[in-house]
Amino acid sequence: MVAGSIPGSPRRTATAASRSPVAQPSPQDCDAAQGMLGDSVAVYLDGGPTEAAVASSIVDLTGPVPILKRAGAISAERLRKVATDLQEP
């Protein structure tokens, strides 16, 4: 789950999940995601096609230090440029 602040929004946060059915590749653009997930997602934000055909990197930010839960398209090394205290399990 990814969450970020949206200034001025009544809800104040946006969330997104990396949720591809088992044995199916991750969708590479918004149309593919809509085709795969349909009405189970209320709002789709189209930021253009992905740059890599790799699953999302997942970082847990709920504790005192960020923890890399799943390495993906963004490497731990690159994540450490913005989260210098990133921990790996």
Side-chain angles (χ1 to χ4, degrees), residues 9-30:
S9 168
R11 289 183 52 111
R12 297 268 185 214
T13 59
T15 61
S18 178
R19 190 184 126 194
S20 299
V22 176
Q24 288 191 13
S26 297
Q28 300 301 301
D29 60 32
C30 191

Side-chain angles (χ1 to χ4, degrees), residues 9-69:
S9 168
R11 289 183 52 111
R12 297 268 185 214
T13 59
T15 61
S18 178
R19 190 184 126 194
S20 299
V22 176
Q24 288 191 13
S26 297
Q28 300 301 301
D29 60 32
C30 191
D31 288 338
Q34 285 178 301
M36 181 181 289
L37 302 172
D39 292 339
S40 69
V41 174
V43 176
Y44 289 88
L45 299 176
D46 188 350
T50 61
E51 295 178 14
V54 184
S56 302
S57 299
I58 298 176
V59 178
D60 181 351
L61 299 172
T62 61
V65 296
I67 300 171
L68 182 62
K69 293 296 204 176

